[in-house]
Structure formats: structure tokens, C-alpha cells
Amino acid sequence: MRLDPGERELWLRLCDAEVATLEAYAGGTDTARAIDLVEAGAPLEPVEPGPDSGLIAACFSGGRDSLTEAAMLQELGQRPLLVTTTSPRDGSVEHETPRRRYVLDEIQRRRGLELIEVHSTLRGCWDTGFAAARYGAGVNELTDTFLYFAVALAVALARDARAVNLASHTEVQENRRWVGAIVEHKHRMYSGATQRALSALFAPAGLRYGGLTYPLYQFQVQRLLERRYADLRDLQYSCWELSADQSDCSRCDECRTIAFNLMAEGVAPREVGDRSRVRAEGAVPLASAAGRDRFAAPQRALVVRLATGPLPPNAHARAHDRLHPAGRAAARSASRGVAVI
Ligand SMILES: [Zn+2]
């Protein structure tokens, strides 16, 4: 298979941007292009624009963002076709729990939506943490949404949908210049810039790729789900550190942020999943040995500092950016002097 030279360069530039971002996280400077695409055989045939069924293939995981994206598309008069990728991996049972099965069934029943589930073995094919010590990110943090987009793209082509939507949020749009490169958030796999680049690639085939929530902070997406789409809020399935019999772990960073944002909106965390075990002294579990082991180096350093001394400059403020302002106040008062990240 051979790619059009322009497409070949696009994929390599996406790799360059990933390398620059990872090196910045690791404090390194090894950003010279060292990745190549080896091609052979006939050129890849371009995809011709097909008929338009009016559907939008909407990636759906059951998390806050994809629940809200589906509801927004419906409210705007669109016809979302939900696409779920089931791909178990070592280190998490998030794709295999009864709770997830319940969420996938309920979104169809409550909103009359069709959901197509595609199984993939890709996420189980690598050791996701093999480079986490250097880069502070697992392989799946760089690749998951590329897989979900690819699956939804195939579904879109099969069902004559002209758009693929995958929900994003403002936090992953962070970027800055660094030693001549553009460095993005480590979850740049679904930043608006990445989505726009892929959308441009598939535009000649009549396909668009994007989403509705990317300009919103997570707490704003959470607020939309809680207030505007309250019939769906109990379905939220965001935690990947849960055990097989749980709906969430109630101990991780994600669970705690959700709990405080819910409380800021006047919603009891127990109404969404099973967050009854969230502890007010939220930083304490993370400072335990078991908690520290779950975190990659940069975040682990912050957690240790939380337990032993003053925070590094800006770390407290940056971590709190993820919380709704009222949630920050709740976190401060609930923790009584223990910084909650
Ligand atoms: Zn959790």
C-alpha cells in the first residue's frame, strides 16, 4: 500500500507533534524525526463521496462527554448513530463490566438511539505502561481515540453517514511553543487541532470529523449533563480504575473531580453511579503507597508533595483548573487544609 505524498506527510507530522509533546513532558529534547512509513505495492484508492443518510456516527463510551454529545446532537435535530468500541486491555476492566453493559442498553432504550458495538483486540496488544516512567502517559492515552475514530469512520462509510463526532473538552486544547515545536496536552489524540487535521484528510471523501463540546471545560459539560440532560446523568461511566462489580472506584482523580463538580451543582454524588465512598479527605488515598503506584512520575511527584510539604508553584492552581469554582471551594473546605488535586 502506498499513500498519497500529502497524506504520508500529514501522518508523519502528527507523529512529530506527538514526539514533541512526549519529550516536553519528559524534559527531553530528542525531537528529530525518527519515524518513517514503509510503503509497498499499489497506491491506496481514494474514497469517493457516497450518498448521505443524514446520520452522524457519534463515538460513545458512556462517559460525561459522549453522553452529552449524543444528547446535544439529538436536541439539535441531528440523527446520532452511536458507535461503541469494545477493546479490553490489561490493567483495567472498564470495557468488561456489567455496569457498562447496562449503560449501553439504557442509552438506546431511553433515547431511542441505535448503537453499533465493534469489538477490537488492539488495546490488548501492547504493554500500555512500558514507557510511562519516562513520559508519564500510557500507550492507550496516545491512541485510544484514534482507534475509536477509525471504528466510527468505518461505520460511517458503511451507513452513509457524512460525519464522525467524538467529544472533546477545553482541557485537552492546551498548547504552547517549545524549542521550535508545538507542544500539546498529553491527550492530544482528540484535541481540536488533531480532529481538524484528520477532518481535512477525509474532506475529499465528503466526511467531517469533530465534536460539539471541545470549547467547554469539563465542569461545563458536566453541568449540561446534570441540568439539561438530567434523564441521562445517572448513566455516566467515566472511571477506568473500577473493579468488575463496581460502577466506579470512588477513589481516583476522575471520580473525585466528578464528585466535587456534582456537589457544586447541588447533585448528590451517589445519584451518579456509586460515589458514596468518596472521601472528603480526597488527597489522602492518593498519598498511600498503593495510590502513588497508580500515578506516573509527574503526577506522583505532585502527590508526594501534597503529603509532605508545600505545593510546587502553580501546581495547585493548575490542578484546580479542572474544578468548577464552587467545587474548588467545596474541595478546600471539605479537605480542611489538605490540598485536593
Ligand atoms: Zn474512579
Side-chain angles (χ1 to χ4, degrees), residues 24-55:
Y25 271 82
T29 56
D30 186 10
T31 58
R33 183 179 285 183
I35 298 171
D36 200 3
L37 299 177
V38 178
E39 301 168 276
L44 189 65
E45 292 291 322
V47 178
E48 298 296 331
D52 184 356
S53 64
L55 294 168

Side-chain angles (χ1 to χ4, degrees), residues 19 72 153 185 275 281 338:
V19 168
M72 288 177 76
L153 185 66
H185 188 280
R275 294 195 167 78
E281 67 277 28
V338 176

Side-chain angles (χ1 to χ4, degrees), residues 239 249-250 252 255:
C239 173
C249 80
S250 289
C252 71
C255 284

Side-chain angles (χ1 to χ4, degrees), residues 197-211:
L198 293 174
S199 191
L201 175 63
F202 291 100
L207 285 157
R208 302 185 310 278
Y209 178 36

Side-chain angles (χ1 to χ4, degrees), residues 140-146 186-191 194:
N140 70 296
E141 291 181 89
L142 316 181
T143 56
D144 273 357
T145 58
F146 285 109
K186 70 176 181 179
H187 292 165
R188 57 174 298 283
M189 61 184 176
Y190 64 118
S191 71
T194 300

Side-chain angles (χ1 to χ4, degrees), residues 71-267:
M72 288 177 76
L73 284 168
Q74 259 196 319
E75 185 173 2
L76 292 168
Q78 302 292 335
R79 294 171 54 210
L81 169 63
L82 304 183
V83 182
T84 295
T85 303
T86 296
S87 183
R89 68 171 175 87
D90 287 342
S92 174
V93 295
E94 64 176 323
H95 281 198
E96 303 167 279
T97 65
R99 165 71 179 173
R100 183 174 189 262
R101 201 49 48 196
Y102 171 77
V103 171
L104 299 183
D105 290 341
E106 278 296 293
I107 186 68
Q108 297 175 79
R109 187 185 69 79
R110 295 186 192 181
R111 288 303 188 103
L113 293 170
E114 181 183 2
L115 184 148
I116 293 178
E117 183 177 5
V118 177
H119 292 260
S120 165
T121 58
L122 184 65
R123 298 200 327 150
C125 292
W126 49 56
D127 172 8
T128 195
F130 85 98
R134 172 165 169 76
Y135 295 115
V139 174
N140 70 296
E141 291 181 89
L142 316 181
T143 56
D144 273 357
T145 58
F146 285 109
L147 170 63
Y148 304 156
F149 167 61
V151 166
L153 185 66
V155 171
L157 288 169
R159 294 291 299 272
D160 295 327
R162 311 315 305 161
V164 173
N165 277 33
L166 188 148
S168 179
H169 43 77
T170 287
E171 281 85 344
V172 300
Q173 317 304 336
E174 287 182 354
N175 60 74
R176 65 174 56 182
R177 283 193 182 278
W178 173 78
V179 294
I182 300 291
V183 170
E184 295 183 74
H185 188 280
K186 70 176 181 179
H187 292 165
R188 57 174 298 283
M189 61 184 176
Y190 64 118
S191 71
T194 300
Q195 289 186 318
R196 288 286 182 89
L198 293 174
S199 191
L201 175 63
F202 291 100
L207 285 157
R208 302 185 310 278
Y209 178 36
L212 301 174
T213 61
Y214 74 92
L216 303 177
Y217 284 100
Q218 289 185 33
F219 82 83
Q220 292 170 317
V221 181
Q222 189 79 50
R223 181 186 291 171
L224 275 173
L225 180 59
E226 287 155 14
R227 293 187 180 180
R228 195 165 187 87
Y229 309 118
D231 62 310
L232 300 178
R233 72 185 184 198
D234 67 300
L235 298 181
Q236 184 174 345
Y237 184 69
S238 296
C239 173
W240 55 267
E241 297 193 64
L242 75 175
S243 58
D245 62 343
Q246 292 179 320
S247 58
D248 46 65
C249 80
S250 289
R251 295 180 69 87
C252 71
D253 183 49
E254 181 75 18
C255 284
R256 186 174 53 260
T257 302
I258 291 168
F260 281 126
N261 282 335
L262 286 166
M263 285 190 285
E265 296 297 322
V267 177

